[in-house]
Amino acid sequence: MENTMPTMSDHRSLFRQLLAGMYDAVVITDPNGHLIEQNARTKEFFGYETEEVMDRPIGVFIPGVTPAVVQRIREGLADSRHMMLDANCLTKAGTAFAAEVSVSIIDLVNPGDLVFTIRNVERRRRRIEAYRSKENCFKVSQAALFACAPDGKFRWVNPAFAEMFGLEASEDDASDYSFVDFMDDEPLTELFAKALSGESSATRISADGESDEKETVEVALAPDMHGKKIRGVVGSVFRV
């Protein structure tokens, strides 16, 4: 009877096919941290052909991961299935990118080979930094800024909004209120509905000032777009 049991060669072929289809870069090293395998994504991330880095230390890709650090990683893996690292990786061209690195052990060529799975998080980091910058702009703006859910409930307001509408404790207090609680003047409710249908607008109205005198404010409303979907209304109130 013919033996149909998969051979070690079959297992390695399947393993390489799995590596080739992975979204992350995968670098496999011997127990001392010297490269023995990499997937196609690694070449995209770092720019090296496999033969250029074969048997070179993992520090080529992740500066700072020295032989001593590799040893500490191995000691840490003795009590855990994998270890997570935040790292700055270096490409062949000399550019750096932020990465999350997961390290685990596999018996591939040698018992105790190491698998470094590298996820480029540079884009995510830039988005977070951009979000924080926008949030800071939101906070320091002299205009009263706000974002509402479709039902009119406030999701966010900035300090200028809290001050303008007498929310003395914190702008977080606004989540207890709706758009119409502060801005029920016509045509604002109508413009709010139009913003929910995708239309942006601005209008000037007269409102009671701090000394009970009328003052003119400009109110701008626009759809809160998340991709192609409208998730609410954003706007500003500015004293003219």
Side-chain angles (χ1 to χ4, degrees), residues 109-126:
V109 177
N110 317 282
D113 288 337
L114 297 173
V115 181
F116 292 81
T117 304
I118 303 168
R119 174 160 295 183
N120 188 331
V121 296
E122 190 68 30
R123 182 179 298 178
R124 184 202 307 171
R125 178 177 290 183
R126 288 199 301 267

Side-chain angles (χ1 to χ4, degrees), residues 123-139:
R123 182 179 298 178
R124 184 202 307 171
R125 178 177 290 183
R126 288 199 301 267
R127 286 178 177 174
I128 291 173
E129 290 174 350
Y131 173 80
R132 287 173 177 166
S133 296
K134 290 176 181 178
E135 186 177 24
N136 289 332
C137 291
F138 186 77
K139 288 180 178 179

Side-chain angles (χ1 to χ4, degrees), residues 31-212:
N32 297 314
H34 290 259
L35 185 128
I36 57 176
E37 187 82 51
Q38 71 173 27
N39 69 347
R41 193 69 165 169
T42 304
K43 179 182 174 182
E44 292 180 27
F45 277 17
F46 294 95
Y48 289 103
E49 299 291 344
T50 300
E51 56 270 19
E52 293 182 89
V53 288
M54 185 63 67
D55 203 35
R56 294 184 67 180
I58 188 64
V60 170
F61 297 119
I62 315 173
V65 180
T66 62
V69 173
V70 170
Q71 180 58 34
R72 289 201 295 272
I73 289 173
R74 290 186 56 78
E75 292 171 357
L77 287 172
D79 300 319
S80 176
R81 295 184 63 182
H82 71 279
M83 181 180 295
M84 293 295 299
L85 307 172
D86 289 323
N88 287 312
C89 295
L90 190 66
T91 70
K92 181 179 179 180
T95 57
F97 64 87
E100 291 176 349
V101 182
S102 173
V103 192
S104 56
I105 291 179
I106 187 174
D107 294 337
L108 183 64
V109 177
N110 317 282
D113 288 337
L114 297 173
V115 181
F116 292 81
T117 304
I118 303 168
R119 174 160 295 183
N120 188 331
V121 296
E122 190 68 30
R123 182 179 298 178
R124 184 202 307 171
R125 178 177 290 183
R126 288 199 301 267
R127 286 178 177 174
I128 291 173
E129 290 174 350
Y131 173 80
R132 287 173 177 166
S133 296
K134 290 176 181 178
E135 186 177 24
N136 289 332
C137 291
F138 186 77
K139 288 180 178 179
V140 303
S141 173
Q142 296 301 302
L145 306 178
F146 61 90
C148 293
D151 64 359
K153 281 284 188 180
F154 287 106
R155 285 183 175 139
W156 298 97
V157 303
N158 70 341
F161 186 99
E163 181 180 355
M164 178 179 288
F165 292 96
L167 301 174
E168 297 179 359
S170 167
E171 57 266 26
D172 291 339
D173 292 345
S175 60
D176 296 329
Y177 297 93
S178 293
F179 180 83
V180 293
D181 292 327
F182 299 130
M183 290 173 278
D184 60 350
D185 308 85
E186 290 299 339
L188 296 183
T189 53
E190 179 184 350
L191 296 181
F192 186 95
K194 288 184 177 180
L196 282 177
S197 66
E199 183 178 331
S200 299
S201 60
T203 188
R204 292 187 178 188
I205 62 171
S206 294
D208 293 330
E210 295 179 357
S211 59
D212 293 330

